Each structure stands twice: as C-alpha cells, then as structure tokens.
Amino acid sequence: MKTIILTSAALALTAGMALADGHAKTIRMGTEGAYPPYNFLNDAGEVAGFERELGDELCARAELTCEWVTNEWDSIIPNLVSGNYDVIIAGMSITDERDEVIDFTQNYTLPDPSGYIAMSEDADLKSGILAAQTNTIQAAFIAEGSATLVEFATPEETIAAVKNGEADAVLADKAFLTPIADADAELIMLEQEELLGGGIGLGLRESDTELKEKFNTAIASMKEDGSLNELLAKWEISGQF
C-alpha cells in the first residue's frame, strides 16, 4: 500500500541475523491496526480482525511465539527493515516494487477487487478528484490514470475527504469500503471495480529465508485443509483458494 523508503542492505542483514540462524524465540508481527476487516484495534486496544486470527494460527502451526506490534502505514516497510518487528501482516499487496526492498511469502488472499465509494452515482472516475491512502496500490493506479489523485495518511481521512467535498470518490479495497457504505446512507458503493496487485502476503526481510519458509509451510497447510477459506468467509473477504 505504501511508498517504499530504501534502507541499506547491511542494516537489513543485521536486523535479520537472529531470525536467519534460527535463534529468535519471539517473532514480532507488525500491523497497522486501522484497516478493517483485515486489521483494527478492538475496544480493549488490542489488534483484531482477519489478520490477527490468521497470524495467530500461522504462528501456532509454525511453532513460533508471536507478539503484535502496531505501526503507521507510511513507515511500515522501513521499520521492518530496521528491525523494529520481524513480519508485516497488514493487508499488504504483493507488488514488484515492494519485492525489490523486502521479501514476501506466498499470498494468503487472492487479489481483492478495489472499489469506489462516493456520494453520487455520477462521480467522475476518469477526470475527477480521487482519494486514496498514501503509498497504496490504489494510489499508484490513480496516479497512472487521468484523474487527479489526493492522498491521505489514513483510510478514515480518505472517506472524510469525500464527505466534505475534497474528493469525488475513494478507491480502496472493496472489503474495507463495503461495510462503510452499508453503514452510511450518504455514501454509495459504485459498480466499477479494479483488480490490482497479486494478492496479500506476509512481508519479511530478504535475509529471513528460514522464517519465510516456515510461514509458507503454514499458509500452504491452511489452504490445503480449508481453514484459510473459512477465515476469509468469516471476515467477508472475497476469493477462495
């Protein structure tokens, strides 16, 4: 979702050494905590959502002790590389640009349709003003087109921009936008969809090959026994493996 800030390979290697040689006892799972249904903070201030349940199950299957850390989206990749946590599990789509800086596991969702939310069915999606969260695949998609892009640090701010007239529509993951449109009579979910990215995966430092393999094995086992599809259905995220 985000803009990538390049960090030195030496720093990435140093930060990942403990994981690469298998000595780490606790794996820190970094997430945003602000993008339901993928991840959010519940009333107790704890990480919840699809990725919390998924991450806990993956850690159990990989026989890892995991703790959860929240981080703002804009700096989520640099803070992984610098060692502030060990895994990104934050609705992050697999893209070639990100893969140049970090590594990814296999995807645990299929590419989720991105949708538009607006206050009018006549919103101009071709030459109007479209809002997206900063450094997301949706922001990159808008920037490549003929519409004017306005970026915001949080997904909530993109919705506010439509409601206060700063933007004609928001482009974001449909799974995020649909419940917002359902709960707000002023907002309309438009019919047009965009299929972006290669699905969502766990992000890791490129040096952490052993950890990547453990999570890949765990994800594959959840695909094989159907438990991943059950979680996707529970959280109303489209696409089944």
Side-chain angles (χ1 to χ4, degrees):
M1 287 180 160
K2 289 52 180 185
T3 296
I4 296 172
I5 300 174
L6 296 178
T7 313
S8 71
L11 182 58
L13 179 61
T14 301
M17 283 178 64
L19 293 176
D21 65 15
H23 294 315
K25 294 182 179 180
T26 300
I27 303 301
R28 297 156 298 169
M29 309 287 277
T31 194
E32 183 181 16
Y35 203 66
Y38 297 95
N39 58 82
F40 57 91
L41 300 182
N42 61 21
D43 291 341
E46 300 169 336
V47 175
F50 164 69
E51 287 173 318
R52 175 59 192 263
E53 290 195 38
L54 173 66
D56 285 347
E57 180 63 21
L58 292 176
C59 288
R61 293 187 183 217
E63 299 182 343
L64 297 169
T65 299
C66 294
E67 65 181 29
W68 289 83
V69 178
T70 57
N71 192 96
E72 292 183 357
W73 182 251
D74 280 353
S75 59
I76 203 164
I77 287 179
N79 278 315
L80 168 72
V81 174
S82 63
N84 290 334
Y85 35 82
D86 307 301
V87 177
I88 292 174
I89 178 168
M92 180 172 284
S93 295
I94 301 167
T95 68
D96 291 340
E97 182 185 15
R98 290 173 182 149
D99 199 34
E100 293 177 359
V101 181
I102 61 173
D103 206 353
F104 285 98
T105 62
Q106 63 177 285
N107 61 337
Y108 56 80
T109 76
L110 297 172
D112 186 33
S114 293
Y116 296 90
I117 203 171
M119 295 185 69
S120 169
E121 293 181 356
D122 298 325
D124 185 356
L125 303 182
K126 290 186 177 181
S127 57
I129 300 173
L130 303 182
Q133 188 177 10
T134 302
N135 300 326
T136 61
I137 56 174
Q138 290 86 8
F141 176 80
I142 295 169
E144 292 173 357
S146 55
T148 298
L149 168 66
V150 288
E151 296 180 88
F152 296 89
T154 68
E156 291 82 4
E157 288 175 292
T158 66
I159 303 299
V162 169
K163 298 198 69 171
N164 65 26
E166 290 182 70
D168 299 307
V170 171
L171 179 62
D173 291 326
K174 193 173 180 181
F176 167 71
L177 292 178
T178 298
I180 294 174
D182 290 344
D184 192 327
E186 291 185 323
L187 296 172
I188 301 168
M189 196 78 195
L190 304 183
E191 291 185 4
Q192 184 167 327
E193 296 179 354
E194 314 293 350
L195 197 59
L196 310 174
I200 296 170
L202 301 178
L204 305 96
R205 289 181 287 271
E206 292 184 335
S207 58
D208 289 338
T209 54
E210 181 181 342
L211 184 60
K212 175 185 174 180
E213 185 172 339
K214 287 185 177 183
F215 277 121
N216 268 334
T217 299
I219 294 169
S221 71
M222 291 189 70
K223 289 179 178 178
E224 290 169 4
D225 66 18
S227 56
L228 181 53
N229 282 342
E230 291 176 5
L231 268 185
L232 290 166
K234 173 182 177 179
W235 290 98
E236 299 182 351
I237 296 172
S238 64
Q240 301 284 301
F241 289 98

